[in-house]
Amino acid sequence: MQEKSVITSTIETARGVFAPGHLGELTQVVDFALVDAVLEETGRREKRLRLPPSRVVVYFVLALALFEHRSYRTVWSQLTAALTPLALVRPAVSSLTRARRRVGAAPLRRLFETFAGPVARPGQDGSFYRGLRTVAVNGTLLHTPDDETLTWRYPKRAGEGLGFGYPLLRLLTLVECGTRALITAAFGPESEGELPYAKRLLPALDKTMLLLADAAFDGNEFLDAVHHSGARFLVRSGARRVPTPAEHLGDGSYIARIGYGVLRVLLPVRVIEATLTVTLADGTVRTEQWRLITNLLDPLRYPAAELVDLYHRRWQAETTYFRSRPRCSTAASCAPAASMASTRRSTPCSPLTRL
């Protein structure tokens, strides 16, 4: 019989009515002092003690994101699973609802801003290209509850006579390639396209970054704004854009100018045209014509072949949405004293997962 060893770790919780305010092992990252500071900064810390306290409400909302498909009662039970000796009062669902309304979104937004940002070390493999930090932008749609309290903001898609399906929320994120760390996000009704939300992400860009994006972001004003932020971009061109070559370069790319009739000053870009061969699992082979646009104008420092290969990193923005979804399914992953095996089942998740 093989010998076995058990590694356990103990997580301390606060006393009394503050005890449910924790995230198990994750409380070491989102600690009490940070949550209290965020509540103080946003003016949401109670002047007199209420049940549940604001700190507990913040941890409860974070737990709702981790246990996305669980009810309020179930999530509360998971937070208090190992606290039965304390004989805590179990709040009614209506009390938790009022508490969330009292605390509001500002502390969660500030908490997100505190943790969001690039994390790769300079030169880290997969996150940098010739000294530039590679980041990617992309959007997705999320279902929201079909409830009158939400449909005024997130309406259903409408046919000739009535709406259909669930109300949709559009989410745009900027992520760091290689680590898939979330840098910033913007969201709102699905009725607006991706570009208006993408423009709200621009303040997070700087001269150290190279932005990768698909054809949905091939807009003259958007690319011009990215350029003036100091960042570089590598974007797949839309089918309707047919740039006129102004200068042919030695690596097969060419210089063109975009923004006719839109921009006050035309934006010089480099255009790279490539043929991609795609081989499917069943052996089927097909080819695609791609046209990439970039403000990396030097073909010697940034060869066209390298940029075509680099563009593939953009898909990490797509996989980030799948990776960020919670996968924890047991109360043990949020228990104050949990085994290492159980805590590995929980995945840290942004409050944006549950809106």
Side-chain angles (χ1 to χ4, degrees):
M1 181 176 179
Q2 293 182 344
E3 293 184 358
K4 295 183 179 180
S5 60
V6 177
I7 301 175
T8 61
S9 59
T10 301
I11 303 300
E12 294 184 357
T13 64
R15 294 182 177 180
V17 295
F18 290 93
H22 71 93
L23 284 177
E25 292 282 347
L26 297 181
T27 313
Q28 297 177 79
V29 180
V30 189
D31 60 35
F32 302 148
L34 175 59
V35 173
D36 287 344
V38 165
L39 288 167
E40 191 72 39
E41 181 181 336
T42 56
R44 292 297 190 270
R45 192 167 184 174
E46 61 270 288
K47 293 181 172 57
R48 60 182 179 85
L49 186 60
R50 300 194 180 196
L51 297 178
S54 297
R55 183 205 292 175
V56 174
V57 176
V58 170
Y59 282 110
F60 175 68
V61 175
L62 293 175
L64 289 175
L66 288 172
F67 302 98
E68 184 179 21
H69 300 294
R70 306 298 178 88
S71 67
Y72 274 27
R73 289 186 183 277
T74 303
V75 171
W76 183 266
S77 296
Q78 289 172 313
L79 288 176
T80 59
L83 304 176
T84 49
L86 299 181
L88 297 169
V89 175
R90 182 177 180 177
V93 172
S94 58
S95 297
L96 292 171
T97 301
R98 287 193 298 270
R100 285 193 66 185
R101 189 177 297 116
R102 182 184 81 237
V103 172
L108 279 302
R109 183 182 298 112
R110 187 69 189 94
L111 199 59
F112 170 76
E113 292 168 351
T114 300
F115 283 103
V119 298
R121 300 181 303 276
Q124 182 171 320
D125 187 42
S127 296
F128 285 83
Y129 169 70
R130 292 185 177 265
L132 295 171
R133 186 185 302 273
T134 54
V135 298
V137 62
N138 201 43
T140 190
L141 295 174
L142 302 176
H143 290 130
T144 67
D146 187 359
D147 188 278
E148 291 182 356
T149 59
L150 290 173
T151 51
W152 69 271
R153 173 64 172 163
Y154 303 104
K156 296 181 179 182
R157 292 180 174 178
E160 294 183 2
L162 49 91
F164 59 90
Y166 279 96
L168 294 174
L169 174 149
R170 190 182 298 279
L171 172 64
L172 270 287
T173 60
L174 181 69
V175 304
E176 180 182 51
C177 296
T179 65
R180 295 180 176 85
L182 210 55
I183 298 174
T184 188
F187 62 91
E190 179 260 350
S191 53
E192 285 194 71
E194 290 186 329
L195 277 177
Y197 294 112
K199 291 178 180 178
R200 291 162 54 182
L201 309 180
L202 291 175
L205 296 176
D206 60 42
K207 63 182 180 181
T208 68
M209 296 179 176
L210 169 59
L211 176 68
L212 310 179
D214 65 18
F217 301 93
D218 178 24
N220 292 317
E221 293 178 333
F222 178 72
L223 296 181
D224 188 59
V226 173
H227 178 74
H228 282 90
S229 74
R232 309 296 194 272
F233 60 79
L234 179 63
V235 177
R236 185 178 176 185
S237 172
R240 291 183 295 179
R241 187 188 291 280
V242 185
T244 301
E247 177 187 356
H248 289 276
L249 303 175
D251 64 350
S253 62
Y254 58 87
I255 301 295
R257 289 174 175 78
I258 63 173
Y260 289 95
V262 178
L263 303 178
R264 293 180 59 184
V265 178
L266 296 180
L267 178 64
V269 296
R270 181 166 155 230
V271 181
I272 302 168
E273 297 182 344
T275 301
L276 272 69
T277 301
V278 181
T279 303
L280 305 180
D282 63 358
T284 303
V285 177
R286 59 183 174 86
T287 59
E288 296 181 4
Q289 295 294 126
W290 278 24
R291 180 183 293 121
L292 302 179
I293 295 180
T294 181
N295 58 349
L296 297 170
L297 304 182
D298 187 346
L300 297 179
R301 188 174 182 183
Y302 309 106
E306 287 186 4
L307 295 180
V308 172
D309 290 339
L310 177 70
Y311 182 73
H312 180 71
R313 292 188 193 175
R314 185 201 70 79
W315 282 97
Q316 296 186 31
E318 305 270 3
T319 57
T320 296
Y321 292 121
F322 173 77
R323 187 186 180 194
S324 67
R325 291 194 175 277
R327 290 172 176 75
C328 41
S329 58
T330 67
S333 58
C334 247
S339 69
M340 295 299 289
S342 67
T343 57
R344 286 175 184 156
R345 288 199 296 269
S346 63
T347 303
C349 177
S350 161
L352 289 169
T353 307
R354 189 183 182 101
L355 296 164

